Coordinates of all heavy atoms in Angstrom, one line a residue:
M1 N -14.9 -30.4 -18.7 CA -13.6 -30.6 -18.2 C -12.6 -29.7 -18.9 O -12.8 -29.4 -20.1 CB -13.1 -32.0 -18.4 CG -13.8 -33.1 -17.6 SD -13.3 -33.2 -15.9 CE -12.3 -34.7 -16.1
K2 N -11.6 -29.2 -18.2 CA -10.6 -28.4 -18.9 C -9.2 -29.0 -18.6 O -9.1 -29.7 -17.6 CB -10.6 -27.0 -18.3 CG -12.0 -26.3 -18.7 CD -12.0 -24.9 -18.2 CE -13.3 -24.2 -18.7 NZ -13.3 -22.8 -18.5
T3 N -8.3 -28.7 -19.4 CA -7.0 -29.3 -19.3 C -5.9 -28.2 -19.1 O -5.9 -27.2 -19.8 CB -6.6 -30.1 -20.6 OG1 -7.7 -31.0 -20.8 CG2 -5.3 -30.8 -20.4
M4 N -5.0 -28.5 -18.1 CA -3.8 -27.6 -17.9 C -2.7 -28.5 -17.7 O -2.8 -29.6 -17.1 CB -4.0 -26.7 -16.8 CG -4.7 -25.3 -17.1 SD -4.9 -24.2 -15.7 CE -3.7 -22.9 -16.2
T5 N -1.5 -28.1 -18.1 CA -0.3 -28.9 -17.9 C 0.4 -28.5 -16.5 O 0.2 -27.4 -16.0 CB 0.7 -28.8 -19.0 OG1 1.2 -27.4 -19.0 CG2 0.1 -29.1 -20.3
C6 N 1.2 -29.4 -16.1 CA 2.0 -29.2 -14.9 C 2.8 -27.9 -15.0 O 2.7 -27.0 -14.1 CB 3.0 -30.4 -14.8 SG 4.2 -30.2 -13.4
K7 N 3.4 -27.7 -16.2 CA 4.1 -26.4 -16.4 C 3.2 -25.2 -16.3 O 3.6 -24.2 -15.7 CB 4.7 -26.4 -17.9 CG 6.2 -26.8 -17.9 CD 6.7 -26.7 -19.3 CE 7.9 -27.5 -19.5 NZ 8.2 -27.8 -20.9
Q8 N 2.1 -25.3 -16.9 CA 1.1 -24.1 -16.8 C 0.8 -23.8 -15.3 O 0.4 -22.7 -15.0 CB -0.1 -24.4 -17.6 CG 0.0 -24.2 -19.1 CD -1.3 -24.6 -19.8 OE1 -1.8 -25.7 -19.7 NE2 -1.9 -23.6 -20.5
L9 N 0.9 -24.8 -14.5 CA 0.5 -24.6 -13.1 C 1.7 -24.4 -12.2 O 1.6 -24.7 -11.0 CB -0.4 -25.8 -12.6 CG -1.8 -25.9 -13.3 CD1 -2.3 -27.3 -13.3 CD2 -2.7 -24.9 -12.6
G10 N 2.8 -24.0 -12.8 CA 3.9 -23.7 -12.0 C 4.9 -24.8 -11.8 O 5.8 -24.8 -11.0
G11 N 4.6 -25.9 -12.5 CA 5.4 -27.1 -12.3 C 6.5 -27.2 -13.4 O 7.0 -26.1 -13.9
A12 N 6.9 -28.4 -13.8 CA 8.1 -28.5 -14.6 C 7.9 -29.5 -15.8 O 8.9 -29.7 -16.5 CB 9.3 -28.9 -13.8
C13 N 6.8 -30.2 -15.9 CA 6.7 -31.1 -17.0 C 5.4 -30.9 -17.8 O 4.6 -30.0 -17.5 CB 6.8 -32.6 -16.5 SG 5.4 -33.1 -15.5
D14 N 5.2 -31.8 -18.8 CA 4.0 -31.6 -19.6 C 2.8 -32.5 -19.3 O 1.9 -32.7 -20.0 CB 4.4 -31.9 -21.1 CG 5.4 -30.8 -21.6 OD1 5.1 -29.6 -21.3 OD2 6.3 -31.1 -22.3
K15 N 2.9 -33.0 -18.1 CA 1.8 -33.9 -17.6 C 0.5 -33.0 -17.6 O 0.5 -31.9 -17.2 CB 2.1 -34.4 -16.2 CG 1.0 -35.3 -15.7 CD 1.4 -35.8 -14.3 CE 0.2 -36.6 -13.7 NZ -0.2 -37.8 -14.4
E16 N -0.6 -33.6 -18.1 CA -1.8 -32.9 -18.2 C -2.8 -33.3 -17.1 O -2.9 -34.4 -16.7 CB -2.5 -33.2 -19.5 CG -1.8 -32.7 -20.7 CD -2.5 -32.9 -22.0 OE1 -3.4 -33.8 -22.1 OE2 -2.2 -32.2 -23.0
F17 N -3.4 -32.3 -16.6 CA -4.4 -32.5 -15.5 C -5.8 -32.0 -16.1 O -5.8 -31.0 -16.8 CB -4.2 -31.7 -14.3 CG -2.8 -31.9 -13.7 CD1 -1.8 -31.0 -13.9 CD2 -2.5 -33.1 -13.0 CE1 -0.5 -31.2 -13.4 CE2 -1.2 -33.3 -12.5 CZ -0.2 -32.4 -12.7
K18 N -6.8 -32.8 -15.8 CA -8.1 -32.4 -16.3 C -9.1 -32.3 -15.1 O -9.1 -33.2 -14.3 CB -8.7 -33.5 -17.2 CG -7.9 -33.6 -18.5 CD -8.5 -34.8 -19.4 CE -7.5 -35.3 -20.4 NZ -7.1 -34.3 -21.5
A19 N -9.8 -31.2 -15.1 CA -10.7 -31.0 -14.0 C -11.8 -30.0 -14.4 O -11.7 -29.3 -15.4 CB -10.0 -30.5 -12.8
N20 N -12.9 -30.0 -13.6 CA -14.0 -29.1 -13.9 C -13.8 -27.7 -13.2 O -14.3 -26.7 -13.7 CB -15.3 -29.7 -13.4 CG -15.7 -30.9 -14.3 OD1 -15.7 -30.7 -15.5 ND2 -16.1 -32.0 -13.7
T21 N -13.1 -27.7 -12.1 CA -12.9 -26.4 -11.4 C -11.4 -26.2 -11.2 O -10.6 -27.1 -11.2 CB -13.5 -26.4 -10.0 OG1 -12.9 -27.4 -9.2 CG2 -15.0 -26.8 -10.1
F22 N -11.1 -24.9 -11.0 CA -9.7 -24.5 -10.8 C -9.1 -25.1 -9.5 O -8.0 -25.6 -9.5 CB -9.5 -23.0 -10.8 CG -8.1 -22.6 -10.6 CD1 -7.1 -22.8 -11.6 CD2 -7.7 -22.1 -9.3 CE1 -5.8 -22.5 -11.3 CE2 -6.4 -21.8 -9.1 CZ -5.4 -21.9 -10.1
N23 N -10.0 -25.1 -8.5 CA -9.5 -25.7 -7.2 C -9.1 -27.1 -7.4 O -8.1 -27.6 -6.8 CB -10.6 -25.5 -6.2 CG -10.7 -24.1 -5.7 OD1 -9.9 -23.3 -6.0 ND2 -11.7 -23.8 -4.9
E24 N -9.9 -27.9 -8.1 CA -9.7 -29.3 -8.4 C -8.3 -29.5 -9.1 O -7.5 -30.3 -8.7 CB -10.8 -29.8 -9.3 CG -11.6 -31.0 -8.7 CD -12.7 -31.4 -9.7 OE1 -13.6 -30.6 -9.9 OE2 -12.5 -32.4 -10.3
I25 N -8.1 -28.7 -10.1 CA -6.9 -28.9 -10.9 C -5.7 -28.4 -10.1 O -4.6 -29.0 -10.2 CB -7.0 -28.1 -12.3 CG1 -6.3 -28.9 -13.3 CG2 -6.5 -26.7 -12.2 CD1 -6.6 -28.6 -14.8
A26 N -5.8 -27.4 -9.3 CA -4.7 -27.0 -8.4 C -4.4 -28.1 -7.4 O -3.2 -28.3 -7.2 CB -5.1 -25.7 -7.7
E27 N -5.4 -28.7 -6.9 CA -5.2 -29.8 -6.0 C -4.4 -31.0 -6.7 O -3.5 -31.6 -6.1 CB -6.5 -30.3 -5.5 CG -6.5 -31.2 -4.2 CD -5.7 -30.5 -3.1 OE1 -5.8 -29.3 -2.8 OE2 -4.9 -31.2 -2.4
M28 N -4.8 -31.3 -7.9 CA -4.2 -32.4 -8.7 C -2.7 -32.1 -8.9 O -1.8 -32.9 -8.8 CB -4.9 -32.6 -10.0 CG -6.2 -33.2 -9.9 SD -7.1 -33.0 -11.4 CE -6.8 -34.6 -12.1
S29 N -2.4 -30.8 -9.3 CA -1.1 -30.4 -9.6 C -0.2 -30.4 -8.3 O 1.0 -30.8 -8.3 CB -1.0 -29.1 -10.3 OG -0.5 -28.1 -9.5
K30 N -0.9 -30.1 -7.2 CA -0.2 -30.1 -5.9 C 0.2 -31.5 -5.5 O 1.4 -31.8 -5.1 CB -1.1 -29.5 -4.8 CG -0.3 -29.0 -3.6 CD -1.3 -28.2 -2.7 CE -1.6 -29.0 -1.4 NZ -2.6 -28.3 -0.6
K31 N -0.7 -32.5 -5.7 CA -0.4 -33.9 -5.4 C 0.7 -34.4 -6.3 O 1.6 -35.1 -5.8 CB -1.7 -34.7 -5.7 CG -2.3 -35.2 -4.4 CD -3.4 -36.2 -4.8 CE -4.6 -36.0 -3.8 NZ -5.8 -36.6 -4.3
H32 N 0.7 -34.1 -7.5 CA 1.7 -34.5 -8.5 C 3.0 -33.9 -8.0 O 4.1 -34.6 -8.0 CB 1.3 -34.0 -9.9 CG 2.4 -34.0 -10.9 ND1 3.0 -35.2 -11.4 CD2 3.1 -33.0 -11.5 CE1 3.9 -34.9 -12.2 NE2 4.0 -33.6 -12.3
G33 N 3.0 -32.6 -7.6 CA 4.2 -32.0 -7.2 C 4.8 -32.7 -6.0 O 6.0 -32.9 -5.9
M34 N 4.0 -33.1 -5.1 CA 4.4 -33.8 -3.9 C 5.1 -35.2 -4.2 O 6.1 -35.5 -3.7 CB 3.2 -34.2 -3.0 CG 2.6 -33.0 -2.3 SD 3.7 -32.1 -1.2 CE 2.6 -30.9 -0.5
E35 N 4.5 -35.8 -5.2 CA 5.1 -37.1 -5.7 C 6.4 -36.9 -6.3 O 7.4 -37.6 -6.0 CB 4.1 -37.8 -6.7 CG 3.0 -38.6 -6.1 CD 1.9 -38.9 -7.0 OE1 2.1 -38.9 -8.3 OE2 0.8 -39.1 -6.5
M36 N 6.5 -35.9 -7.1 CA 7.8 -35.5 -7.7 C 8.8 -35.1 -6.7 O 10.0 -35.5 -6.8 CB 7.6 -34.4 -8.7 CG 6.8 -34.8 -10.0 SD 7.6 -36.1 -10.9 CE 6.4 -37.4 -10.7
F37 N 8.4 -34.5 -5.6 CA 9.2 -34.0 -4.6 C 9.8 -35.3 -3.8 O 11.0 -35.4 -3.5 CB 8.4 -33.2 -3.6 CG 9.2 -32.7 -2.4 CD1 10.1 -31.6 -2.5 CD2 9.1 -33.3 -1.2 CE1 10.9 -31.2 -1.5 CE2 9.9 -32.8 -0.1 CZ 10.7 -31.8 -0.2
K38 N 8.9 -36.3 -3.6 CA 9.3 -37.5 -2.9 C 10.4 -38.2 -3.7 O 11.3 -38.8 -3.1 CB 8.1 -38.4 -2.8 CG 7.5 -38.3 -1.4 CD 6.4 -39.4 -1.2 CE 5.1 -38.8 -0.9 NZ 3.9 -39.7 -1.1
I39 N 10.3 -38.3 -5.0 CA 11.3 -39.0 -5.8 C 12.5 -38.1 -6.1 O 13.4 -38.6 -6.7 CB 10.7 -39.7 -7.0 CG1 10.2 -38.6 -8.0 CG2 9.6 -40.7 -6.7 CD1 9.9 -39.2 -9.4
G40 N 12.4 -36.9 -5.7 CA 13.6 -36.0 -5.8 C 13.8 -35.5 -7.3 O 14.9 -35.4 -7.7
D41 N 12.7 -35.4 -8.0 CA 12.8 -34.9 -9.4 C 13.3 -33.5 -9.5 O 12.7 -32.6 -9.0 CB 11.5 -35.0 -10.1 CG 11.5 -34.7 -11.6 OD1 12.0 -35.5 -12.4 OD2 11.2 -33.5 -11.9
K42 N 14.5 -33.3 -10.1 CA 15.2 -32.0 -10.0 C 14.4 -30.9 -10.6 O 14.3 -29.8 -10.0 CB 16.6 -32.1 -10.6 CG 17.5 -31.2 -9.8 CD 19.0 -31.4 -10.3 CE 19.8 -30.2 -9.8 NZ 20.7 -29.7 -10.8
P43 N 13.9 -31.0 -11.8 CA 13.2 -29.9 -12.4 C 12.0 -29.4 -11.5 O 11.7 -28.2 -11.4 CB 12.7 -30.4 -13.8 CG 13.6 -31.5 -14.1 CD 14.0 -32.1 -12.8
H44 N 11.3 -30.4 -11.0 CA 10.2 -30.1 -10.1 C 10.6 -29.4 -8.8 O 10.0 -28.5 -8.3 CB 9.3 -31.3 -9.8 CG 8.5 -31.7 -10.9 ND1 8.9 -32.5 -11.9 CD2 7.2 -31.4 -11.3 CE1 8.0 -32.7 -12.8 NE2 6.9 -32.1 -12.4
L45 N 11.8 -29.9 -8.3 CA 12.3 -29.3 -7.0 C 12.6 -27.8 -7.3 O 12.3 -26.9 -6.5 CB 13.5 -30.0 -6.6 CG 13.3 -31.4 -6.0 CD1 14.7 -32.0 -5.6 CD2 12.3 -31.5 -4.9
E46 N 13.2 -27.5 -8.5 CA 13.6 -26.2 -8.8 C 12.3 -25.3 -9.0 O 12.2 -24.2 -8.5 CB 14.4 -26.1 -10.1 CG 15.8 -26.4 -9.8 CD 16.6 -26.8 -11.1 OE1 16.2 -26.5 -12.2 OE2 17.8 -27.3 -10.9
A47 N 11.3 -25.9 -9.6 CA 10.0 -25.1 -9.8 C 9.4 -24.9 -8.5 O 8.8 -23.8 -8.2 CB 9.1 -26.0 -10.7
M48 N 9.5 -25.8 -7.6 CA 8.9 -25.7 -6.2 C 9.7 -24.6 -5.4 O 9.0 -23.8 -4.7 CB 9.0 -27.0 -5.5 CG 7.7 -27.7 -5.5 SD 7.9 -29.3 -4.6 CE 7.3 -30.3 -5.9
N49 N 11.0 -24.5 -5.6 CA 11.7 -23.5 -4.9 C 11.2 -22.1 -5.4 O 11.1 -21.2 -4.6 CB 13.2 -23.6 -5.2 CG 13.9 -24.6 -4.3 OD1 13.4 -25.0 -3.3 ND2 15.0 -25.1 -4.8
E50 N 11.0 -22.0 -6.7 CA 10.5 -20.7 -7.2 C 9.2 -20.4 -6.6 O 8.9 -19.2 -6.2 CB 10.4 -20.8 -8.7 CG 11.7 -20.4 -9.4 CD 11.6 -20.6 -10.9 OE1 10.6 -20.1 -11.5 OE2 12.6 -21.1 -11.5
M51 N 8.3 -21.4 -6.5 CA 7.0 -21.2 -5.9 C 7.1 -20.7 -4.5 O 6.4 -19.9 -4.0 CB 6.1 -22.4 -6.0 CG 5.6 -22.7 -7.4 SD 4.5 -21.4 -8.0 CE 3.0 -21.8 -7.0
Q52 N 8.1 -21.3 -3.8 CA 8.2 -21.0 -2.4 C 8.7 -19.6 -2.2 O 8.3 -18.9 -1.2 CB 9.2 -22.0 -1.7 CG 8.5 -22.9 -0.8 CD 9.1 -24.3 -0.7 OE1 10.3 -24.4 -0.9 NE2 8.4 -25.3 -0.3
E53 N 9.6 -19.1 -3.1 CA 10.0 -17.7 -3.1 C 8.8 -16.8 -3.2 O 8.6 -15.8 -2.5 CB 10.9 -17.4 -4.3 CG 12.4 -17.9 -4.0 CD 13.0 -17.1 -2.8 OE1 12.9 -15.9 -2.8 OE2 13.5 -17.8 -1.9
L54 N 7.9 -17.2 -4.2 CA 6.7 -16.4 -4.4 C 5.8 -16.4 -3.2 O 5.2 -15.4 -2.9 CB 6.0 -17.1 -5.6 CG 4.8 -16.3 -6.3 CD1 5.4 -15.1 -7.0 CD2 4.1 -17.2 -7.2
M55 N 5.7 -17.5 -2.5 CA 4.8 -17.6 -1.4 C 5.2 -16.8 -0.2 O 4.5 -16.6 0.7 CB 4.7 -19.1 -0.9 CG 3.7 -19.9 -1.7 SD 3.6 -21.6 -1.1 CE 3.7 -22.5 -2.6
K56 N 6.5 -16.3 -0.2 CA 7.0 -15.4 0.8 C 6.2 -14.1 0.8 O 6.1 -13.5 1.8 CB 8.5 -15.1 0.7 CG 9.3 -16.3 1.1 CD 10.8 -16.0 0.9 CE 11.6 -17.2 1.2 NZ 13.0 -17.1 0.6
S57 N 5.6 -13.8 -0.3 CA 4.8 -12.6 -0.4 C 3.3 -13.0 -0.6 O 3.0 -13.5 -1.7 CB 5.3 -11.7 -1.5 OG 4.2 -10.9 -2.0
P58 N 2.5 -12.9 0.4 CA 1.1 -13.4 0.2 C 0.4 -12.7 -0.9 O -0.4 -13.3 -1.6 CB 0.5 -13.0 1.6 CG 1.6 -12.8 2.5 CD 2.8 -12.4 1.7
D59 N 0.7 -11.4 -1.2 CA 0.1 -10.7 -2.3 C 0.5 -11.3 -3.6 O -0.3 -11.5 -4.5 CB 0.5 -9.2 -2.3 CG -0.3 -8.4 -1.2 OD1 -1.3 -9.0 -0.7 OD2 0.1 -7.3 -0.9
A60 N 1.8 -11.6 -3.8 CA 2.3 -12.1 -5.1 C 1.7 -13.5 -5.3 O 1.3 -13.9 -6.4 CB 3.8 -12.2 -5.0
M61 N 1.6 -14.3 -4.2 CA 1.0 -15.6 -4.3 C -0.5 -15.5 -4.7 O -0.9 -16.2 -5.6 CB 1.1 -16.3 -2.9 CG 0.7 -17.7 -2.9 SD 1.8 -18.7 -4.0 CE 0.7 -20.0 -4.5
K62 N -1.2 -14.6 -4.1 CA -2.6 -14.4 -4.4 C -2.8 -14.0 -5.9 O -3.7 -14.5 -6.6 CB -3.2 -13.3 -3.5 CG -4.7 -13.5 -3.3 CD -5.2 -12.5 -2.3 CE -6.6 -12.2 -2.5 NZ -7.1 -10.9 -2.3
E63 N -1.9 -13.1 -6.3 CA -2.0 -12.6 -7.7 C -1.7 -13.8 -8.6 O -2.4 -13.9 -9.7 CB -1.0 -11.5 -7.9 CG -1.3 -10.6 -9.1 CD -0.2 -9.6 -9.3 OE1 0.3 -9.0 -8.4 OE2 0.3 -9.6 -10.5
W64 N -0.7 -14.6 -8.3 CA -0.3 -15.7 -9.2 C -1.5 -16.7 -9.3 O -1.9 -17.1 -10.4 CB 0.9 -16.5 -8.6 CG 1.4 -17.6 -9.4 CD1 2.3 -17.5 -10.4 CD2 0.9 -19.0 -9.4 NE1 2.5 -18.8 -10.9 CE2 1.6 -19.7 -10.4 CE3 -0.1 -19.7 -8.6 CZ2 1.5 -21.0 -10.6 CZ3 -0.2 -21.0 -8.9 CH2 0.5 -21.7 -9.8
F65 N -2.1 -16.9 -8.2 CA -3.3 -17.8 -8.1 C -4.4 -17.3 -8.9 O -5.1 -18.0 -9.6 CB -3.7 -18.0 -6.6 CG -4.0 -19.4 -6.3 CD1 -3.0 -20.4 -6.2 CD2 -5.3 -19.8 -6.0 CE1 -3.4 -21.7 -5.9 CE2 -5.7 -21.1 -5.7 CZ -4.7 -22.1 -5.7
E66 N -4.7 -16.0 -8.7 CA -5.8 -15.4 -9.5 C -5.6 -15.4 -11.0 O -6.5 -15.7 -11.8 CB -6.1 -14.0 -9.0 CG -6.8 -13.9 -7.6 CD -8.0 -14.9 -7.6 OE1 -8.9 -14.9 -8.5 OE2 -8.1 -15.7 -6.6
N67 N -4.3 -15.2 -11.4 CA -4.0 -15.2 -12.8 C -4.2 -16.6 -13.4 O -4.7 -16.8 -14.5 CB -2.5 -14.8 -13.0 CG -2.4 -13.3 -13.0 OD1 -3.4 -12.6 -13.2 ND2 -1.2 -12.8 -12.7
K68 N -3.8 -17.6 -12.6 CA -4.0 -19.0 -13.0 C -5.5 -19.4 -13.1 O -5.9 -20.1 -14.0 CB -3.3 -20.0 -12.1 CG -1.8 -19.9 -12.2 CD -1.3 -20.3 -13.6 CE 0.1 -19.8 -13.8 NZ 0.6 -20.0 -15.2
R69 N -6.2 -18.9 -12.1 CA -7.6 -19.1 -12.1 C -8.3 -18.5 -13.4 O -9.1 -19.2 -14.1 CB -8.3 -18.5 -10.9 CG -9.7 -18.9 -10.7 CD -10.4 -18.1 -9.6 NE -9.8 -18.3 -8.3 CZ -10.0 -19.3 -7.5 NH1 -10.9 -20.2 -7.8 NH2 -9.4 -19.4 -6.3
K70 N -7.9 -17.3 -13.7 CA -8.4 -16.7 -15.0 C -8.0 -17.5 -16.2 O -8.8 -17.6 -17.1 CB -7.8 -15.2 -15.1 CG -8.7 -14.2 -14.3 CD -8.1 -12.8 -14.5 CE -8.4 -12.0 -13.3 NZ -7.4 -10.9 -13.2
E71 N -6.7 -17.9 -16.2 CA -6.3 -18.7 -17.3 C -7.1 -20.0 -17.5 O -7.5 -20.3 -18.6 CB -4.8 -19.1 -17.0 CG -3.9 -19.3 -18.2 CD -2.5 -19.6 -17.9 OE1 -1.9 -18.8 -17.1 OE2 -2.0 -20.6 -18.3
F72 N -7.4 -20.6 -16.4 CA -8.2 -21.8 -16.4 C -9.6 -21.5 -16.9 O -10.1 -22.2 -17.7 CB -8.3 -22.4 -15.0 CG -9.1 -23.6 -14.9 CD1 -8.6 -24.9 -15.2 CD2 -10.5 -23.6 -14.5 CE1 -9.4 -26.0 -15.1 CE2 -11.3 -24.7 -14.4 CZ -10.7 -25.9 -14.7
N73 N -10.2 -20.4 -16.4 CA -11.6 -20.1 -16.8 C -11.7 -19.7 -18.2 O -12.7 -19.9 -18.9 CB -12.1 -18.9 -15.9 CG -12.4 -19.4 -14.5 OD1 -12.6 -20.6 -14.2 ND2 -12.4 -18.4 -13.5
A74 N -10.6 -19.2 -18.8 CA -10.6 -18.8 -20.2 C -10.4 -20.0 -21.1 O -10.6 -19.8 -22.3 CB -9.5 -17.7 -20.4
L75 N -10.0 -21.1 -20.6 CA -9.7 -22.3 -21.5 C -11.0 -22.8 -22.0 O -12.1 -22.7 -21.4 CB -9.1 -23.4 -20.7 CG -7.6 -23.2 -20.3 CD1 -7.3 -24.4 -19.3 CD2 -6.7 -23.2 -21.5
P76 N -11.0 -23.4 -23.3 CA -12.2 -24.0 -23.8 C -12.5 -25.3 -23.1 O -11.5 -26.0 -22.6 CB -11.8 -24.2 -25.3 CG -10.3 -24.3 -25.3 CD -9.8 -23.4 -24.2
E77 N -13.7 -25.7 -23.0 CA -14.1 -26.9 -22.4 C -13.7 -28.1 -23.4 O -13.9 -28.0 -24.5 CB -15.6 -27.0 -22.2 CG -16.1 -26.0 -21.2 CD -16.1 -26.6 -19.8 OE1 -15.9 -27.8 -19.7 OE2 -16.3 -25.8 -18.9
N78 N -13.1 -29.1 -22.8 CA -13.0 -30.3 -23.6 C -13.6 -31.5 -22.8 O -14.1 -31.2 -21.7 CB -11.5 -30.6 -24.0 CG -10.6 -30.5 -22.8 OD1 -10.9 -30.9 -21.7 ND2 -9.4 -30.0 -23.0
D79 N -13.5 -32.7 -23.3 CA -14.1 -33.7 -22.5 C -13.3 -34.1 -21.3 O -13.6 -34.2 -20.2 CB -14.3 -35.0 -23.4 CG -13.0 -35.3 -24.1 OD1 -12.0 -35.3 -23.5 OD2 -13.1 -35.6 -25.3
Ligands
ZN1 ZN1 5.1 -32.2 -13.4

């Protein structure tokens, strides 16, 4: 398992996600983001706006995603 925080995944808090694959951890952070969106958490809403700006460019989005995947793969394994 590897650990990444919400912030590391483009979010706004220090909540930690643990997963074996990048896709899994990306999914967890997405779910968490949705929950924060529902309760109207401002820092997360702002982070999401930034992500949405990024998503306007498919290339930039792809690059961001690949960078995060690399970051995930470079992390040491923990339990
Ligand atoms: Zn968060």
Side-chain angles (χ1 to χ4, degrees):
M1 297 277 259
K2 295 183 180 195
T3 307
M4 272 180 112
T5 64
C6 176
K7 258 184 202 160
Q8 281 177 301
L9 290 158
C13 70
D14 291 319
K15 184 179 168 62
E16 291 183 340
F17 305 105
K18 293 179 202 292
N20 288 313
T21 65
F22 177 73
N23 284 353
E24 240 178 287
I25 214 163
E27 196 54 41
M28 290 166 97
S29 110
K30 202 169 108 185
K31 250 187 216 163
H32 164 70
M34 292 294 184
E35 276 162 26
M36 291 297 112
F37 181 77
K38 261 189 238 160
I39 63 167
D41 183 79
K42 214 171 165 227
H44 285 85
L45 292 181
E46 280 165 14
M48 259 176 237
N49 278 340
E50 274 176 44
M51 284 299 284
Q52 253 150 25
E53 279 300 307
L54 192 71
M55 277 182 226
K56 284 179 187 163
S57 158
D59 281 350
M61 189 60 209
K62 206 176 154 214
E63 201 187 310
W64 184 91
F65 220 72
E66 283 314 308
N67 280 337
K68 290 296 161 187
R69 189 191 299 277
K70 273 182 211 154
E71 209 177 306
F72 179 84
N73 288 339
L75 287 172
E77 293 273 347
N78 51 33
D79 47 47

